[in-house]
Amino acid sequence: MSLKEKIVSSYIAFEDHLEDDSPIHELRNEAIKTFETNGFPTKKEEAWKYTSLNSLLKNDYSILPRKADHTIEFKDVKQYFLHDIDTYKIVFIDGVYSSFLSETTHDAVDVCLLSSALSKSKYKSVIEAYFNKAAKQDSLTSLNTAFAKEGAYIHIPKHKEVEKPIEIINFSTGNEAAILLQPRNLIVVGENAHVQIIERHQNLSNNEVLTNSVTEIFAEKRAFVDYYKIQTDNKSASLIDNTFLSQERDSNCNVHTFSFGGKLTRNNLNFFQNGEHCESTLKGITILEDKQHVDHNTLVHHIAPNCESHQDYKGIFDERSTGVFNGKIVVEKDAQKIDAFQQNNNILISDKATINSKPQLEIFADDVKCSHGCTIGQLDEDALFYMRSRGIGTKEARALLMYAFANNVLESVKIPELKRRINKLIADKIGVSLGFEL
Amino acid sequence: MLKIKNLHARVEDKNILKGIDLNVNAGEVHAIMGPNGSGKSTLASVIAGKEEFEMQKGEITFMDEDISEMDPEERAHKGIFLSFQYPIEIPGVSVTNFIKTAINETRKSKGLEDMPAGKMLKMIKEKADLLEIDRKFLSRSLNEGFSGGEKKRNEIFQMAMLEPKLAILDETDSGLDIDALKVVANGVNKLKSADNAVVVITHYQRLLDYIVPDFVHVLMNGKIVKSGTKELAYELEEKGYDWIKEELV
Ligand SMILES: Nc1ncnc2c1ncn2[C@@H]1O[C@H](COP(=O)(O)OP(=O)(O)O)[C@@H](O)[C@H]1O
Ligand SMILES: [Mg+2]
């Protein structure tokens, strides 16, 4: 039985256990049909030309979440939290909510679980207004929708500034030989509300994990969303991240993606600017080695006029690692006076590493400022010699250049503790610790 | 201190240095002058260990040790400093962080602990004052967007911090106005002692009014064709290089 067949038959068992009056019952049924019709994407599709899921689909994944037999002690996973500062935490273990590791709230803001939002009537109106409204109806997103049951539910009412960051962490324990996880996050940020969110996926064993996550974020008028994705999972874990941000006027949304780990990572990051004067920022640092693969597939859809978008992705590729950057900017006919900027810079450390970088601009308005640039290079030999001539060893000199290269992405991380952590993650990744922070 | 014998070096398949002999002793100041493209910067780079240049023949010893196979960082640790003709821009790394890293890496090579932060700060302040460098300047990205003069002043600041035994200053005067030139020269002179040596590469006699050389060498077409005392520099300033060419034939 192929994975697709297994998934479709699991769906029947899954749906049997759910109440028919769930507000998303019909959506699930439609979604599984979409997945059944389209299956997993293949390299024949333009958007998947450089990323093949084939090797991942051979594993015999367990599809429906089961509670781990053993519990996880906080001290064993402490390192994955921003433990030096106070945060809200929504934690899942093998796809099942862990109340023990979490710290949720219903006090003025809702930082809780999608499962409760889906089952309790008081959330019904929010679910009906937002759930699956920003997500594309493609095959992988549909697969997630069909099984959507658990994930983070965050609702920040208007004018509310959440006083501490929210961490969404998905652990897997290896209690199944191979597991497919499909977290589903719904985040609604009301008018003039502010929120900072950090998302992380962490495999605690060497068993195979494939995560197909969907996150929908709605930023109402003047809302401010700062979202960080830390992708430092171990090399038996793969991630397909489907994130959709729907912005109303005067809202400001930033997503930073730090991709240093995992076997295969695909980021489908989609921004929709529905109102005037929106700002969107998409930034990423990718540092890979071995046979790691990271594919950034971004879309910024300018629907309304007078908006801005900035994309800045830096990649450093060693050994046989491969990177893909596919940045699409669409400017609709009515979206005049758009300022869209896109930059993708790459350094290939090894001659066996590969990067495929492709901008895609579809501009239907005539009064827009749209710029894009892509560079692929090596570490600058003259700069290396300059540093070495001052007594800085080759390894440190290279590290310094890599830090410097990635710095302007790191610069805009607004949580100091997080910035310090990412600095450390970079240091660990390139094997050199600098005596200072950038 | 530095002994160079019959040095030949090339880049790609172009011979640039064609038999250089040079002896620099502790306490001395040497000036190397010569027309553009004669090989002055190449000589400096070869001494500092740039791998791009292939040493085909000859010897380089520093403090009686053969350095010709050493990495650039190793030479730096032994006390060789090159002030670049064209300093490299390193966006994202501040002047302060860069120099801290350089100093601590050098200390590490000698088995020493990092310099205590307080001592480092004090030293940075002292040397910045010596070279009349504004504090704000030190937190800027290294050489990024610096004017020509700022770059050169920053090179000498780094030299002052690293306290090398042998400093090679490659056209440090270019890009400096007369006031800046005096400040930089004053800095170099303050650091000068009986235990260290300076090699000044320059086009113009001007700098040599402030950093007074014990010896002047003329480098032409990859060879030192004439050596003398500081009077030779005045002669070159007055008459250019053609008369030396004529003398040679
Ligand atoms: N990296 C290089 N590749 C090829 N030619 C070089 C390189 N560096 C220097 N040269 C050549 O070597 C010669 C000497 O250059 P240089 O040492 O910079 O002279 P100077 O400093 O005396 O002006 C010049 O003809 C220059 O073009
Ligand atoms: Mg030169």
Side-chain angles (χ1 to χ4, degrees):
Chain A
M1 192 159 55
S2 74
L3 181 59
K4 182 180 147 184
E5 288 160 353
K6 183 174 175 182
I7 287 171
V8 172
S9 63
S10 301
Y11 177 75
I12 297 160
F14 170 77
E15 255 289 291
D16 265 358
H17 282 89
L18 298 170
E19 303 99 62
D20 286 349
D21 64 347
S22 162
I24 66 165
H25 179 75
E26 271 311 306
L27 283 179
R28 283 205 188 98
N29 285 337
E30 279 165 36
I32 195 70
K33 277 185 213 137
T34 305
F35 173 70
E36 205 177 349
T37 312
N38 299 299
F40 286 98
T42 67
K43 290 181 95 169
K44 289 196 195 96
E45 290 171 43
E46 187 62 26
W48 289 84
K49 196 169 162 187
Y50 300 108
T51 298
S52 168
L53 297 176
N54 276 346
S55 65
L56 298 180
L57 303 182
K58 291 194 186 99
N59 293 314
D60 187 22
Y61 295 103
S62 108
I63 313 280
L64 301 177
R66 197 160 60 87
K67 212 175 163 76
D69 312 330
H70 55 283
T71 51
I72 300 177
E73 294 287 329
F74 178 69
K75 67 172 170 44
D76 297 332
V77 291
K78 188 177 164 191
Q79 57 174 311
Y80 304 114
F81 292 89
L82 276 184
H83 53 80
D84 299 339
I85 57 172
D86 195 13
T87 59
Y88 290 118
K89 301 166 186 67
I90 312 173
V91 182
F92 304 96
I93 301 172
D94 298 322
V96 180
Y97 174 63
S98 163
S99 60
F100 175 64
L101 292 174
S102 297
E103 194 182 321
T104 58
T105 184
H106 292 291
D107 182 15
V109 301
D110 286 312
V111 176
C112 59
L113 303 179
L114 185 71
S115 55
S116 47
L118 286 176
S119 62
K120 292 188 184 145
S121 58
K122 67 169 172 169
Y123 298 111
K124 199 169 173 185
S125 62
V126 179
I127 296 293
E128 279 176 356
Y130 296 101
F131 187 87
N132 215 37
K133 292 292 192 288
K136 278 191 212 164
Q137 312 305 315
D138 62 33
S139 183
L140 289 170
T141 306
S142 299
L143 170 59
N144 179 288
T145 303
F147 289 89
K149 188 181 167 201
E150 194 55 289
Y153 173 80
I154 298 170
H155 185 194
I156 317 296
K158 59 178 166 187
H159 305 308
K160 182 76 196 159
E161 196 164 327
V162 188
E163 76 281 15
K164 52 190 185 186
I166 301 167
E167 296 184 87
I168 305 171
I169 307 191
N170 297 277
F171 290 114
S172 45
T173 60
N175 72 330
E176 313 266 6
I179 189 169
L180 174 67
L181 296 174
Q182 301 209 69
R184 176 73 176 222
N185 305 314
L186 177 63
I187 298 160
V188 180
V189 187
E191 180 182 339
N192 195 33
H194 288 224
V195 69
Q196 293 179 315
I197 298 169
I198 299 150
E199 177 192 339
R200 209 167 167 156
H201 302 266
Q202 186 63 47
N203 183 3
L204 302 171
S205 77
N206 289 317
N207 286 353
E208 295 278 338
V209 180
L210 173 60
T211 301
N212 177 44
S213 83
V214 171
T215 303
E216 291 181 282
I217 303 170
F218 296 88
E220 296 298 336
K221 276 192 298 194
R222 284 186 290 138
F224 189 95
V225 179
D226 211 8
Y227 203 103
Y228 301 94
K229 292 175 183 286
I230 303 180
Q231 302 178 336
T232 54
D233 212 340
N234 68 29
K235 288 177 193 162
S236 55
S238 294
L239 171 67
I240 302 163
D241 177 315
N242 308 281
T243 296
F244 305 90
L245 290 100
S246 176
Q247 294 187 241
E248 298 310 318
R249 70 179 180 79
D250 298 306
S251 63
N252 186 325
C253 293
N254 308 298
V255 175
H256 286 72
T257 307
F258 300 99
S259 313
F260 310 146
K263 184 190 332 193
L264 179 151
T265 306
R266 163 73 175 222
N267 286 299
N268 296 316
L269 180 56
N270 305 277
F271 279 69
F272 305 94
Q273 295 183 336
N274 304 309
E276 286 192 59
H277 304 291
C278 288
E279 271 183 55
S280 308
T281 301
L282 301 76
K283 289 190 178 192
I285 302 176
T286 304
I287 307 178
L288 303 183
E289 86 237 309
D290 206 350
K291 286 184 178 165
Q292 290 182 297
H293 178 91
V294 170
D295 180 345
H296 290 291
N297 195 283
T298 68
L299 165 70
V300 178
H301 196 154
H302 290 279
I303 300 156
N306 296 308
C307 293
E308 285 179 30
S309 66
H310 313 267
Q311 298 188 58
D312 189 354
Y313 280 82
K314 309 279 186 208
I316 300 175
F317 304 91
D318 201 356
E319 297 173 345
R320 290 172 177 277
S321 62
T322 49
V324 183
F325 177 78
N326 194 336
K328 187 168 173 177
I329 299 173
V330 180
V331 182
E332 293 294 346
K333 195 160 148 277
D334 294 334
Q336 299 293 358
K337 305 234 183 291
I338 292 297
D339 193 346
F341 170 86
Q342 183 188 88
Q343 181 82 28
N344 173 231
N345 308 102
N346 302 286
I347 291 180
L348 297 179
I349 305 273
S350 131
D351 53 12
K352 302 237 162 49
T354 319
I355 170 78
N356 286 293
S357 180
K358 190 173 100 180
Q360 247 178 295
L361 309 180
E362 294 177 10
I363 300 173
F364 303 103
D366 46 27
D367 185 13
V368 299
K369 226 167 92 189
C370 193
S371 64
H372 65 93
C374 158
T375 62
I376 298 171
Q378 271 95 37
L379 289 177
D380 180 353
E381 287 296 328
D382 289 331
L384 284 174
F385 173 61
Y386 181 70
M387 295 198 256
R388 293 174 74 192
S389 81
R390 299 288 142 94
I392 300 174
T394 318
K395 203 174 156 199
E396 286 73 18
R398 295 169 75 95
L400 208 52
L401 282 187
M402 290 191 231
Y403 272 96
F405 172 73
N407 187 47
N408 63 336
V409 171
L410 211 51
E411 219 168 52
S412 51
V413 172
K414 291 187 195 73
I415 307 169
E417 172 60 16
L418 179 64
K419 192 166 164 181
R420 205 181 60 74
R421 284 304 193 81
I422 293 164
N423 250 307
K424 171 83 169 55
L425 288 169
I426 295 177
D428 290 348
K429 182 72 183 184
I430 58 188
V432 175
S433 176
L434 297 178
F436 57 87
E437 279 166 29
L438 292 168
Chain B
M1 182 179 269
L2 177 73
K3 291 198 178 79
I4 298 178
K5 264 191 219 150
N6 193 29
L7 173 67
H8 288 69
R10 67 175 180 188
V11 59
E12 281 143 26
D13 46 13
K14 188 173 169 197
N15 296 323
I16 301 175
L17 302 181
K18 302 166 185 168
I20 302 256
D21 292 283
L22 182 69
N23 278 318
V24 180
N25 297 311
E28 292 176 351
V29 177
H30 288 243
I32 297 177
M33 303 182 77
N36 266 333
S38 58
K40 303 182 296 296
S41 294
T42 302
L43 175 61
S45 297
V46 171
I47 298 170
K50 191 166 189 177
E51 281 143 3
E52 199 181 344
F53 297 102
E54 185 198 343
M55 208 174 127
Q56 297 155 282
K57 249 199 262 179
E59 286 172 25
I60 308 182
T61 63
F62 181 67
M63 315 286 285
D64 299 321
E65 198 176 358
D66 179 3
I67 60 164
S68 56
E69 298 285 314
M70 280 183 194
D71 286 338
E73 56 269 37
E74 231 180 317
R75 300 183 200 208
H77 298 159
K78 301 236 175 261
I80 296 176
F81 178 90
L82 169 60
S83 167
F84 280 50
Q85 181 176 0
Y86 303 109
I88 313 290
E89 302 194 359
I90 312 204
V93 180
S94 71
V95 175
T96 306
N97 281 334
F98 183 73
I99 196 65
K100 274 188 197 165
T101 308
I103 285 183
N104 285 332
E105 283 278 306
T106 302
R107 290 175 66 93
K108 196 162 81 187
S109 77
K110 299 188 170 105
L112 298 172
E113 297 276 293
D114 281 1
M115 185 183 280
K119 196 173 164 203
M120 180 83 76
L121 276 179
K122 189 163 166 271
M123 190 170 171
I124 289 174
K125 183 183 179 315
E126 217 173 272
K127 307 295 185 185
D129 287 349
L130 173 69
L131 292 158
E132 297 179 15
I133 288 174
D134 188 352
R135 290 298 185 73
K136 271 191 237 117
F137 183 83
L138 299 174
S139 53
R140 282 173 61 184
S141 276
L142 186 64
N143 292 324
E144 193 187 26
F146 287 17
S147 71
E150 284 171 334
K151 283 183 182 169
K152 297 305 172 70
R153 201 187 282 234
N154 177 45
E155 292 289 278
I156 302 305
F157 167 70
Q158 291 185 45
M159 170 190 147
M161 290 293 294
L162 290 163
E163 301 180 324
K165 292 202 181 74
L166 172 70
I168 304 165
L169 313 183
D170 192 357
E171 307 222 5
T172 298
D173 49 341
S174 65
L176 293 180
D177 61 35
I178 190 73
D179 293 327
L181 186 75
K182 281 181 192 164
V183 171
V184 164
N186 177 46
V188 173
N189 289 331
K190 282 256 169 64
L191 299 163
K192 191 74 208 56
S193 79
D195 302 321
N196 59 26
V198 181
V199 175
V200 185
I201 295 171
T202 182
H203 265 312
Y204 306 103
Q205 187 273 332
R206 189 175 77 142
L207 176 67
L208 304 179
D209 282 341
Y210 302 100
I211 304 175
V212 183
D214 301 299
F215 302 97
V216 174
H217 311 277
V218 181
L219 185 63
M220 284 175 92
N221 193 20
K223 277 190 198 149
I224 290 180
V225 293
K226 198 171 178 69
S227 295
T229 54
K230 65 171 193 260
E231 283 70 30
L232 178 56
Y234 288 108
E235 215 174 336
L236 290 169
E237 179 84 354
E238 206 174 302
K239 301 199 271 184
Y241 293 102
D242 288 347
W243 64 279
I244 300 186
K245 273 187 213 152
E246 278 155 29
E247 234 182 47
L248 289 175
V249 271

